[in-house]
């Protein structure tokens, strides 16, 4: 048999040839006798006897990325422009709910967010106006257009929440309303002849207004968020933050975050829904530093250093709504509209609505829901 010392001298191209030589010892011996070679086989002698390497068999190539600069422009990157044009034509829906006690500036803040009178106009106290005995749900729809993009905005107000002496279970009408919107969407979805574009009335975001007491959350605040955080994206905000000093505001924000954590209340953006490291890093900063947003709302303009700004006039100066040194309204606006609006819609559809849908179909034995019946 040939010596093992031949192995290092063979590369992949001559592996098949080496195999053939290993199976023909008689032919090798005859060649040695003819050439007068000694029986001890050296690497030099073997190198003379190794035949020409056989060509390597064809192996399918792995897919490689194609350089469009070499082969010409394809146009894949235009899909973003196609999506933009389609969105501009069809527009999109965004439904925001505001919850909190009367007098916290809910309507004013929403008007400030969208720089339009999209919610009930804040007015002075009317003696003839009575506090609702139960929580009412009022939805007002508007179409806002900016840069050619249309958004159908629906603001859902909840007058009467937390205004009674006995506020036991006052969140139930709100939870029922949210589930009713899921039910309407589900029934449209399971129809045989369903609409090409199902009207979306689902609540994508709930701004929960916390009274600026500077102490701690009320039991009502905790109970509401504990129940509703399972069915809707809750964003807690501290209303009328200009009533607290900077130190009071900072301490109150920390106390609220701690109480929410102790009570196991998840607010948006929820940790388990972070899709990648970039999202986690960005959202961790929001959860640990910004939440809850301490805001001031105003739909009145004032002249400050030659510029028109939204603000609140006080005896000691103008509180500028969009000035980060005065309040965190700009952070809330950027968060809800400029960075997380689409994600709010996706979490609503993929998490909250899917949870409702799975429970609904499971309770119905996997069959489509029966008209007129829904989960309370």
């Amino acid at each position: 048999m040939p010596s093992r010392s031949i192995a290092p001298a063979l590369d992949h191209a001559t592996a098949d040839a080496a195999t053939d030589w290993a199976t023909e010892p008689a032919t090798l011996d005859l060649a040695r006798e003819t050439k007068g070679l000694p029986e001890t086989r050296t690497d030099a002698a073997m190198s003379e006897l190794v035949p020409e390497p056989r060509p390597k068999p064809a192996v399918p190539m792995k897919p490689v990325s194609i350089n469009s600069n070499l082969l010409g422009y394809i146009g894949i990157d235009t899909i973003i422009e196609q999506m933009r044009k389609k969105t501009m034509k069809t527009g999109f829906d965004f439904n925001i709910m505001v919850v909190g006690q009367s007098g916290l500036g809910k309507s004013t803040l929403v008007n400030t967010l969208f720089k339009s009178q999209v919610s009930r106009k804040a007015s002075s106290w009317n003696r003839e106006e009575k506090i609702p005995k139960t929580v009412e749900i009022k939805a007002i729809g508007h179409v806002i257009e900016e840069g050619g993009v249309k958004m159908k905005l629906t603001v859902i107000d909840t007058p009467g929440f937390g205004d009674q002496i006995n506020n036991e279970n006052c969140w139930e009408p709100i939870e029922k309303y949210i589930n009713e919107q899921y039910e309407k969407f589900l029934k449209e979805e399971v129809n045989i002849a369903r609409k090409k574009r199902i009207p979306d009335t689902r609540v994508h975001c709930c701004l929960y207004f916390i009274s600026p007491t500077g102490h701690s959350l009320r039991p009502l605040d905790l109970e509401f968020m504990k129940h509703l955080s399972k069915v809707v994206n809750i964003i807690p905000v501290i209303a009328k933050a200009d009533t607290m000093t900077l130190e009071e505001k900072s301490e109150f924000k920390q106390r609220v975050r701690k109480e929410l954590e102790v009570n196991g209340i998840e607010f948006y953006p929820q940790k388990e829904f972070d899709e990648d490291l970039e999202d986690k890093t960005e959202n961790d900063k929001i959860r640990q530093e910004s939440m809850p947003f301490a805001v001031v709302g105003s739909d009145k303009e004032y002249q400050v250093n030659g510029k028109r700004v939204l603000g609140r006039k006080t005896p000691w100066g103008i509180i500028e709504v969009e000035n980060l040194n005065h309040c965190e309204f700009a952070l809330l606006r950027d968060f809800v509209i400029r960075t997380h609006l689409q994600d709010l819609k996706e979490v609503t559809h993929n998490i909250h609505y899917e949870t409702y849908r799975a429970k609904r179909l499971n309770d119905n034995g996997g069959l489509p829901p029966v008209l007129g019946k829904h989960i309370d």
Side-chain angles (χ1 to χ4, degrees):
M1 293 293 291
S3 170
R4 286 288 182 184
S5 62
I6 189 174
L10 297 178
D11 59 10
H12 293 293
T14 60
D16 293 338
T19 303
D20 291 344
W21 277 89
T23 58
E24 298 178 8
T27 306
L28 291 175
D29 293 340
L30 180 60
R32 280 190 174 76
E33 290 176 3
T34 305
K35 293 181 178 290
L37 295 174
E39 290 185 1
T40 305
R41 302 167 188 176
T42 64
D43 292 343
M46 289 301 297
S47 64
E48 294 178 1
L49 301 177
V50 173
E52 290 295 324
R54 296 179 182 179
K56 290 180 64 177
V59 178
M61 294 182 64
K62 295 181 179 180
V64 295
S65 59
I66 300 175
N67 189 342
S68 60
N69 294 330
L70 297 178
L71 302 181
Y73 177 66
I74 299 173
I76 298 173
D77 57 355
T78 62
I79 190 172
I80 303 299
E81 180 64 16
Q82 296 173 42
M83 294 169 65
R84 188 186 71 85
K85 287 182 178 179
K86 189 171 183 180
T87 302
M88 288 179 67
K89 288 180 181 179
T90 60
F92 60 97
D93 302 305
F94 186 64
N95 308 315
I96 183 170
M97 174 181 276
V98 290
V99 181
Q101 282 182 298
S102 300
L104 292 181
K106 301 187 297 296
S107 301
T108 302
L109 182 71
V110 174
N111 290 339
T112 312
L113 269 177
F114 298 99
K115 294 188 176 181
S116 178
Q117 297 297 328
V118 295
S119 188
R120 295 179 304 132
K121 176 67 178 174
S123 59
S124 57
W125 173 252
N126 184 352
R127 291 182 179 274
E128 297 179 358
E129 183 181 354
K130 296 182 179 178
I131 297 175
K133 294 183 178 179
T134 58
V135 178
E136 299 177 0
I137 307 293
K138 294 184 178 180
I140 305 174
H142 301 268
V143 176
I144 299 177
E145 185 172 352
E146 184 180 48
V149 179
K150 292 181 180 180
M151 179 175 74
K152 182 182 177 183
L153 173 69
T154 302
V155 179
I156 303 107
D157 200 355
T158 56
F161 177 83
D163 293 337
Q164 309 301 318
I165 296 175
N166 182 6
N167 291 300
E168 185 178 2
N169 298 335
C170 65
W171 58 82
E172 289 182 350
I174 298 173
E175 185 175 13
K176 181 180 179 183
Y177 176 86
I178 293 172
N179 283 331
E180 284 175 350
Q181 308 319 304
Y182 291 148
E183 183 71 13
K184 286 171 62 176
F185 194 90
L186 176 58
K187 286 177 180 176
E188 288 288 348
E189 196 177 48
V190 299
N191 279 342
I192 296 176
R194 63 183 179 182
K195 299 175 183 177
K196 183 178 179 181
R197 188 166 183 259
I198 301 175
D200 191 0
T201 60
R202 298 170 296 181
V203 180
H204 302 122
C205 171
C206 174
L207 294 181
Y208 186 78
F209 285 70
I210 299 170
S211 182
T213 62
H215 298 292
S216 60
L217 292 174
R218 301 173 302 162
L220 176 60
D221 300 328
L222 294 172
E223 286 298 319
F224 175 89
M225 287 188 275
K226 189 179 295 184
H227 282 83
L228 273 294
S229 62
K230 299 173 184 177
V231 297
V232 71
N233 296 316
I234 290 183
I235 300 177
V237 297
I238 300 173
K240 295 190 174 181
D242 54 325
T243 62
M244 294 186 291
T245 66
L246 295 178
E247 292 78 11
E248 289 172 343
K249 182 175 69 176
S250 177
E251 291 175 3
F252 189 42
K253 283 166 65 76
Q254 293 179 18
R255 191 174 295 115
V256 169
R257 285 197 295 267
K258 184 66 176 177
E259 289 189 58
L260 293 175
E261 181 182 354
V262 169
N263 287 274
I265 297 172
E266 287 284 346
F267 52 83
Y268 181 86
Q270 299 90 333
K271 294 179 182 179
E272 61 267 33
F273 302 153
D274 293 339
E275 295 185 352
D276 52 39
L277 183 60
E278 183 181 355
D279 287 347
K280 184 179 185 303
T281 302
E282 180 184 357
N283 290 337
D284 276 344
K285 185 176 181 181
I286 294 170
R287 285 186 287 257
Q288 296 168 10
E289 298 178 10
S290 300
M291 289 288 184
F293 295 97
V295 298
V296 175
S298 175
D299 49 11
K300 294 183 180 180
E301 289 187 348
Y302 294 94
Q303 193 84 10
V304 177
N305 297 328
K307 295 181 180 180
R308 300 292 293 178
V309 299
L310 290 172
R312 286 168 58 87
K313 188 174 182 179
T314 67
W316 49 87
I318 303 294
I319 299 171
E320 300 174 37
V321 168
E322 297 181 277
N323 188 335
L324 287 176
N325 293 323
H326 295 186
C327 76
E328 296 170 346
F329 169 82
L331 294 178
L332 174 65
R333 179 199 58 206
D334 292 351
F335 176 67
V336 172
I337 301 174
R338 300 182 182 179
T339 63
H340 285 70
L341 189 147
Q342 182 59 31
D343 189 64
L344 282 163
K345 290 168 63 71
E346 290 178 0
V347 172
T348 298
H349 180 79
N350 298 330
I351 306 299
H352 298 303
Y353 169 69
E354 283 298 319
T355 301
Y356 177 90
R357 178 180 176 274
K359 187 176 188 305
R360 188 74 172 89
L361 296 179
N362 184 62
D363 291 345
N364 207 32
L367 299 174
V370 179
L371 189 64
K373 295 183 179 180
H374 60 84
I375 298 175
D376 290 331

